[in-house]
Amino acid sequence: MTFKELKNFRAAAFAALLLIAAATHAQTASVEIQGVSAADAGKKNQTFAPSIAHLKGVLKETVFGTFTDAGKQDITVTAGAKASSRVKQYELDVTLKDAKPGKCRLELTIKDGGKPIGDPICVPVTKGQPKMVAQVGNREQPLILIFTLKD
């Protein structure tokens, strides 16, 4: 291999690595999972724990009146790989299905005691916009799962 061929090969290899790195980054998403315990269905004046007050807009859509923080976790999901999280007794398996700048599509499987409690849920999420994904558990005092895309 001549010096010129070696130089061209190195340039092509470097360009390929940059493309792979960009593609890999584009297929990764950072997601905040917030658990909220809800109670007091039908209560007229809703009350929110201070740590979840920023979620009032999403939680006002429910019939519940009292909301408390049930825990928050940040996860990073990568295309083709499963990320796991736990909120209260529920295990959450999250897979990134598609990612574009500012939005992504996730697949969520919720488990209780290691067993899925339903079919996987496909969830579109937009950066900075909390999305109520599921209500699980006791009908009178459910756990509400809220996802927010962070990047």
Side-chain angles (χ1 to χ4, degrees):
M1 189 179 288
T2 67
F3 179 73
K4 185 175 182 179
E5 290 172 331
L6 180 60
K7 187 176 174 183
N8 288 340
F9 175 76
R10 288 177 65 198
F14 182 70
L17 285 173
L18 286 176
L19 287 173
I20 291 169
T24 301
H25 178 69
Q27 292 299 309
T28 300
S30 178
V31 179
E32 176 183 287
I33 301 172
Q34 175 70 58
V36 177
S37 294
D40 301 327
K43 181 179 172 185
K44 292 185 191 272
N45 296 322
Q46 292 180 320
T47 57
F48 303 87
S51 60
I52 58 170
H54 65 285
L55 299 172
K56 282 182 183 180
V58 175
L59 294 169
K60 281 185 174 184
E61 298 173 15
T62 71
V63 299
F64 299 99
T66 304
F67 302 96
T68 57
D69 190 332
K72 176 176 79 170
Q73 291 188 18
D74 293 331
I75 63 169
T76 299
V77 291
T78 303
K82 178 174 59 176
S84 295
S85 181
R86 179 178 287 278
V87 179
K88 287 198 159 188
Q89 79 266 23
Y90 298 99
E91 303 160 45
L92 310 176
D93 290 339
V94 183
T95 305
L96 179 63
K97 297 307 241 177
D98 186 35
K100 295 178 181 158
K103 59 184 175 179
C104 70
R105 194 166 43 92
L106 306 170
E107 182 178 273
L108 169 67
T109 301
I110 304 169
K111 298 178 182 178
D112 188 5
K115 297 179 182 178
I117 59 173
D119 292 330
I121 304 167
C122 191
V123 182
V125 185
T126 303
K127 182 178 180 179
Q129 296 180 6
K131 179 164 186 140
M132 187 172 6
V133 174
Q135 292 184 23
V136 294
N138 182 322
R139 181 181 282 156
E140 301 298 317
Q141 296 179 325
L143 173 67
I144 299 172
L145 299 172
I146 299 173
F147 282 35
T148 306
L149 179 64
K150 295 179 74 174
D151 64 9

